[in-house]
Amino acid sequence: MADGSHALLLDRGNLKRRNRVNRVVEIGSSIGAVIAVAVLVIVVGSVVLKGAGALSWHFLTTPSGLFGDTSGGMANALVGTLVIVAIAAAIAIPVGILVAIYTTEFASSRFAHPIGFVLDVLNGVPTIITGIFVYGLLVAGNKPSGFAGSVALAIVMLPIVARTAQEVLTLVPATLKEAAHALGIARWRTILRITVPTAAGGLITGSLLAVARAAGETAPLLLCNFIFAQGVLTDPGEGLASIPLFIFQSSESPSPEAHTQAWAAALVLIAFVLVLNVVARAFYARSRKRMGA
Amino acid sequence: MEAGALSNPVLRARRNLTDRIGEPLLRGLSGLAAALAVAALVGIAYEVIDLARPAISEFGIGFLTTNDWNPVSKDFGAAPFLYGTVVTSLIALVIAAPLSIAISIYLTELAPLRIRRPVATLIDMLAAIPTVILGLWGILVLGPFMRDTIQPALNDVLGFLPIFSGDPSAFSYLTAALILAIMATPIITSVTREVFETVPGDLKEASYALGATRWEMVRQVVLPYSRPGIVGATILGLGRAIGEAIAVAQVIGAAYTIHLSLFHTGGTLAAQIASQFQNSAGLQKASLAYLGLILLVFAVIVNVVARIIVQRGHIKDGPDVDVDAALTEAQAL
C-alpha cells in the first residue's frame, strides 16, 4: 500500500510534494462522485418536492383542459402513454429478440457482425431523426397518430432490446445447447425450449430498459403524434396525449399553475422509469447468477 | 439419429414434420427481423434526404455557412445551429469527461468496497431520467440560478472575454451545455469505470511496489492502459450531446444567428427541429429536414469512430475486456 510508506520514509521534500498531489487528486475525485450523486438528488428532489403537492386522485383521473386551462389533470396523457408504449413494446420486443436469435444462432459471423454494427448505429441515431423518418413515412400526407408515435418509439427500443438480448443469449452455456444437440433435438426447438428460457431474465431486463427509455422519450412524439382531441382517448389511429409531451408543453407555458402540473406529471414519469430500472437490474443480476456468469 | 430420443415411429414422424416447418420458420422469421432492422436504418437515411430535397436544391452546400434563419424572407441556413451544437457539446464534454474520469477513479480505486456498487448504480440512474424532465428542471431551477448567480459571477471575473460578456439570461448556450454535461456524464462514467476495472491488478501492484503514490499509479498505469476506452467513451458522450433535442430546446431559448456570448439564447440542430418542425411547411420544413440530415451524418460518424477507437484499443490491450458490451449497456441505460 502506498500509505505504508509513511512509516518508513520521512514525509518531506519531494515525497511530501508527491503525497500532497496524491491527496489533492483523491479529494478531487471523491468530490466528482459527490457532485454526480448530488445532481441526481437535486433533480429527483426538485421533482418530488414540487410535484408531490399537486399530485392528487383528481389530477390522475381527470383529462387535461383546453390550452391554458389548468383545472384538469393528466388522465388522457397517462392513458395515451400506456397505449403508445404498449404498442411500441409489442413491436420492438419480439422483433428485437428475433434479431438477436438470428445473429447468435443462425447467421454466420459474416452477417452477424454487420447486423450488430447496424444496431449500434441505429442506437446512435438521434431520436428526433427517428421522428423525422416516421413523420415522412406515416404522417406526411396522412395525419399524426398515436400509432405513428408507437412506430417511432419501437425503432428507438429495437437496438436496446436486440443488443441486450444478444449479450445474454451468448452467455447461455454452450454445454446446455450441446446436450440438446446430442439428444438429436432440432435447432429451433433447442432455441425456443433451452436457450431462450435460460436467458429469460436478461431478455426481460433488456425489454424493461427499453420500455423505460420509450416511456420518457419526447422528440419522436413531438413530430409524429401531436394534435389530439380533448378527453381520454385510446384509439391509436388518432393523435394521443402522452406524459412526456404534457410535461414539455406545460414547461414551455409561462403560467406557474402549468409548471406545477408539469412537476406532478414529471413525478409520475420519473417514478415509473426508476422503478422499471430497479426491477430490470434485479432481473439482470438474477439471470447472470443463474448462468454462472 | 433420433432413434434414441424417440423410439415410437409415429411420434418420430410427427416430430420430423414439425421440425421441417419449425426450423425454416424460426430461421426465416429471425432473418426477417434482422432485415427489418437494416431496413429501418436505410429508411431513416432515405426519408430524411427525401424530405430535405427541396432545401438541398434551393440552398445547396452554402446552407452550411448561411448565418440566418428567416421564415418570412425564406432565407434558411445551418450555421447558427451548427455553431450552437458544436459549442454546447464541447462545453458539455469539457465538463463531463474530467468529471467522469474522476468519478471512475473514485469508484475503482478509492471508494470503500461496500459503497462502490450503490454509488455506481445511482450514477447510472442519472442516465435513466427522461430528458424532458431534465429540461423542465433546467427551465425552472437551473436556468434562473444561472442567470442570477453563475453568470454574474463569471461576468465579474472573466467578463473581458467576449464569451462571458453580455446580459445574463436564464435561457442560454451555457445552461444547455450544463444540461448536456449532466446527460453525458453517466454514459462516459459507465464505460470508463468498466475499462478501469479491467486494468490487471499485477500492473497496479508493480507500480505500488516501486513506491508510486495512488495518483502516480493511476497516471502511469490505469490511464494509459485505458486511453482508447476513455476516448471512445467521450466520443460516445459527444454523440449523445449533439443528438439531444428536447432538453436543449427547453433551455436554450431561440436565436437565429450566431452569438458569441454564452449567456445569449441560441439554437442547436436538434433543438431547432424540435421547436419548429410541427408548425412549419414547405421550404422551412425541408430546411429543418436538411438540418436533420447534417445531424444524422454527424451522429453516424461520431458513433462509428467511437466504436472503432474502442475496439482497436480493446484488441491491442487485453482480450478479457468486453468494452463493446459496456458501451451498449451504457447507451441503453
Side-chain angles (χ1 to χ4, degrees):
Chain A
M1 290 289 292
D3 296 336
S5 55
H6 289 279
L8 296 170
L9 298 167
L10 290 176
D11 191 15
R12 68 176 184 223
N14 189 32
L15 183 60
K16 190 171 182 183
R17 188 187 55 79
R18 289 167 57 205
N19 278 333
R20 198 178 294 150
V21 170
N22 183 52
R23 199 78 206 120
V24 168
V25 173
E26 286 186 358
I27 293 170
S29 40
S30 309
I31 290 175
V34 170
I35 289 176
V37 174
V39 168
L40 177 74
V41 170
I42 291 171
V43 172
V44 175
S46 303
V47 171
V48 172
L49 283 181
K50 302 188 183 216
L55 206 56
S56 64
W57 187 243
H58 171 82
F59 182 72
L60 289 174
T61 54
T62 318
S64 55
L66 285 166
F67 184 74
D69 170 15
T70 52
S71 63
M74 62 178 288
N76 50 344
L78 201 61
V79 172
T81 280
L82 287 179
V83 171
I84 294 168
V85 174
I87 295 174
I91 300 170
I93 293 173
V95 174
I97 292 176
L98 279 171
V99 173
I101 289 176
Y102 182 74
T103 56
T104 55
E105 301 288 336
F106 288 116
S108 64
S109 68
R110 208 158 54 90
F111 281 107
H113 266 287
I115 292 170
F117 183 74
V118 163
L119 290 173
D120 289 339
V121 175
L122 202 57
N123 201 9
V125 170
T127 55
I128 189 101
I129 304 288
T130 309
I132 295 182
F133 165 57
V134 176
Y135 172 88
L137 192 70
L138 297 175
V139 179
N142 205 327
K143 60 174 185 184
S145 67
F147 179 70
S150 298
V151 171
L153 292 187
I155 295 174
V156 174
M157 293 170 71
L158 177 64
I160 301 174
V161 177
R163 269 314 208 172
T164 41
Q166 277 182 337
E167 210 180 308
V168 288
L169 287 179
T170 49
L171 282 181
V172 174
T175 47
L176 282 181
K177 298 184 205 172
E178 281 159 11
H181 291 319
L183 290 173
I185 295 169
R187 180 148 27 154
W188 72 287
R189 271 185 217 277
T190 312
I191 294 169
L192 294 184
R193 305 291 288 275
I194 309 283
T195 313
V196 169
T198 310
L203 297 178
I204 294 172
T205 302
S207 306
L208 290 179
L209 287 178
V211 168
R213 172 79 190 275
E217 196 53 66
T218 319
L221 300 181
L222 191 62
L223 267 52
C224 303
N225 171 41
F226 45 93
I227 300 169
F228 33 87
Q230 297 298 306
V232 176
L233 301 176
T234 52
D235 176 8
E238 302 293 322
L240 293 178
S242 63
I243 301 176
L245 269 193
F246 180 81
I247 298 171
F248 182 70
Q249 282 156 354
S250 307
S251 77
E252 303 262 274
S253 153
S255 104
E257 290 81 16
H259 291 166
T260 310
Q261 292 208 318
W263 285 117
L267 178 56
V268 173
L269 182 57
I270 222 170
F272 179 69
V273 167
L274 292 186
V275 166
L276 272 185
N277 264 276
V278 170
V279 174
R281 275 155 202 285
F283 270 109
Y284 191 58
R286 218 185 62 172
S287 141
R288 284 186 80 100
K289 203 182 276 174
R290 216 174 116 188
M291 290 188 287
Chain B
M1 266 161 51
E2 297 195 7
L6 283 178
S7 47
N8 182 331
V10 179
L11 279 179
R12 195 167 72 204
R14 192 186 293 161
R15 162 156 283 195
N16 281 338
L17 187 65
T18 50
D19 279 353
R20 221 173 295 153
I21 301 166
E23 185 80 22
L25 190 69
L26 185 62
R27 178 188 273 272
L29 271 180
S30 64
L32 191 69
L36 211 59
V38 178
L41 188 60
V42 175
I44 287 172
Y46 171 80
E47 199 68 59
V48 172
I49 294 173
D50 194 45
L51 285 167
R53 200 161 283 154
I56 296 174
S57 57
E58 174 80 24
F59 302 116
I61 198 81
F63 186 72
L64 294 173
T65 53
T66 305
N67 183 15
D68 193 17
W69 186 273
N70 188 337
V72 180
S73 65
K74 297 218 183 300
D75 288 320
F76 298 110
F81 314 112
L82 269 173
Y83 174 81
T85 301
V86 170
V87 165
T88 52
S89 304
L90 283 187
I91 297 174
L93 283 194
V94 166
I95 298 167
L99 184 62
S100 303
I101 292 171
I103 296 169
S104 303
I105 292 174
Y106 176 77
L107 286 177
T108 54
E109 304 295 335
L110 291 174
L113 283 174
R114 227 162 359 102
I115 71 162
R116 285 186 188 184
R117 189 178 267 283
V119 172
T121 305
L122 282 179
I123 291 168
D124 282 346
M125 286 292 172
L126 200 52
I129 295 178
T131 57
V132 70
I133 295 181
L134 273 184
L136 172 72
W137 180 77
I139 292 181
L140 299 177
V141 181
L142 183 64
F145 177 69
M146 294 295 292
R147 179 191 57 209
D148 301 334
T149 311
I150 301 289
Q151 291 177 359
L154 278 173
N155 188 278
D156 281 348
V157 182
L158 298 166
F160 58 91
L161 295 171
I163 52 170
F164 294 124
S165 61
D167 294 329
S169 156
F171 300 94
S172 66
Y173 289 114
L174 198 58
T175 311
L178 276 185
I179 294 285
L180 291 179
I182 294 175
M183 288 171 41
T185 298
I187 294 179
I188 304 176
T189 303
S190 68
V191 179
T192 45
R193 179 170 56 90
E194 196 107 352
V195 178
F196 282 9
E197 273 169 4
T198 63
V199 177
D202 42 4
L203 286 187
K204 297 195 213 172
E205 279 155 26
S207 178
Y208 282 138
L210 291 172
T213 64
R214 195 178 266 143
W215 162 241
E216 285 162 351
M217 188 284 290
V218 168
R219 191 164 52 90
Q220 290 163 3
V221 175
V222 175
L223 293 183
Y225 191 90
S226 318
R227 189 176 301 132
I230 296 172
V231 174
T234 307
I235 300 178
L236 266 187
L238 176 69
R240 182 75 194 271
I242 63 174
E244 175 54 28
I246 293 299
V248 175
Q250 283 169 293
V251 300
I252 204 169
Y256 305 137
T257 53
I258 292 175
H259 294 277
L260 274 186
S261 169
L262 295 179
F263 303 161
H264 205 284
T265 56
T268 67
L269 296 168
Q272 182 68 1
I273 302 169
S275 38
Q276 297 203 337
F277 199 85
Q278 241 186 66
N279 303 313
S280 63
L283 193 58
Q284 188 179 357
K285 189 156 248 162
S287 301
L288 289 167
Y290 199 172
L291 295 182
L293 179 59
I294 300 167
L295 178 60
L296 179 61
V297 171
F298 258 146
V300 169
I301 291 175
V302 160
N303 264 278
V304 171
V305 168
R307 271 162 210 289
I308 290 174
I309 290 176
V310 170
Q311 224 130 51
R312 220 193 260 154
H314 161 48
I315 291 163
K316 197 179 69 197
D317 283 340
D320 53 345
V321 192
D322 198 355
V323 173
D324 209 45
L327 291 177
T328 310
E329 214 171 302
Q331 284 192 320
L333 291 170

